[in-house]
Amino acid sequence: MPAGPVSSAESPTEEVHLAGGCLWGVQAFLDTLPGVVWTEAGRANGAADHLDGPYDGYAECVRVRFDPRATDIERLLGHLFEIIDPYAVNQQGPDVGEKYRTGVYSRDPRHLEAARAWLAARPDADRVAVEVRLLTRWVRSAEEHQKRLARCPDDACHLPPEVLYRHRT
C-alpha cells in the first residue's frame, strides 16, 4: 500500500503526477496549493522499478494527492505554469536533461483528457512542450529528496522563495 493519507467517503482524493524540472522546488511549491493534501517526490515512467542504475527515461516528478472539491486538474496546471518555462524542452532553469522535462502523468483518463484540453485551449498551445501521458510506472525517490526544501531551506533551487511560497497560507 502506498504511503500517505488514507481516503474516506468524507474526504475523497485523486492523484496526478506533475513534472516541472528539479523536484525539490516543484514539491515545495505544490505543497502550498489549496486543495493539495499530500505530495511525494519520485520518478515517472522510467523503465526500472528501482532507483539504482543508469538513467532509464524517467521524469523527475511529484505525486500529488488532491481534494477534487477544492481544486482540479486545470487549476493545478495553471499553478504549475507559474513555476515552469512551458516552452523549454528537457530543461528548467539551470537543470538540463531529459529527466527535467515537464509533464502531466496519471492513471485516470479523465485527468489526461482535462490536461490535453487545457493545454489545447492556450493561445500558445503549438509552442508548449509539456507532455501528457499515461502513468506507467512510479518510483518513490529516496528519503533525502522528500520535502527537501522544507528540511534544508538553503539548498539550491532555481525558484526564488517569493515564487515557491506565494500560495502559502
Side-chain angles (χ1 to χ4, degrees):
M1 173 131 189
V6 176
S7 290
S8 71
E10 296 80 39
S11 126
T13 60
E14 297 180 17
E15 279 189 8
V16 66
H17 298 67
L18 301 174
C22 175
L23 54 79
W24 294 353
V26 176
Q27 185 177 35
F29 177 78
L30 293 172
D31 277 337
T32 69
L33 298 180
V36 171
V37 298
W38 177 82
T39 63
E40 178 180 67
R43 299 175 174 184
N45 290 359
D49 287 323
H50 53 79
L51 298 173
D52 301 328
Y55 176 72
D56 67 356
Y58 66 84
E60 283 202 6
C61 198
V62 178
R63 178 179 171 192
V64 180
R65 199 165 288 162
F66 65 95
D67 180 344
R69 298 169 303 182
T71 194
D72 56 26
I73 296 300
E74 294 85 355
R75 283 189 198 109
L76 290 171
L77 277 173
H79 288 304
L80 181 67
F81 270 55
E82 294 177 38
I83 62 168
I84 66 169
D85 174 353
Y87 314 121
V89 176
N90 299 333
Q91 177 177 1
Q92 290 296 306
D95 300 312
V96 178
E98 188 179 355
K99 70 180 182 177
Y100 297 114
R101 66 188 181 272
T102 53
V104 179
Y105 311 94
S106 182
R107 291 189 173 107
D108 186 333
R110 296 171 305 140
H111 294 164
L112 301 176
E113 290 167 16
R116 287 185 185 110
W118 188 87
L119 291 168
R122 291 178 55 91
D124 59 353
D126 60 325
R127 297 177 36 222
V128 172
V130 176
E131 66 181 13
V132 178
R133 299 192 189 267
L134 178 70
L135 181 71
T136 57
R137 178 170 282 114
W138 174 253
V139 178
R140 183 182 192 276
S141 287
E143 193 58 38
E144 68 186 270
H145 297 292
Q146 303 300 327
K147 312 282 187 189
R148 179 67 181 218
L149 293 180
R151 291 182 296 101
C152 306
D154 294 328
D155 276 2
C157 181
H158 70 283
L159 300 171
E162 61 271 16
V163 172
L164 278 176
Y165 305 115
R166 73 169 47 137
H167 297 287
R168 184 186 280 171
T169 55

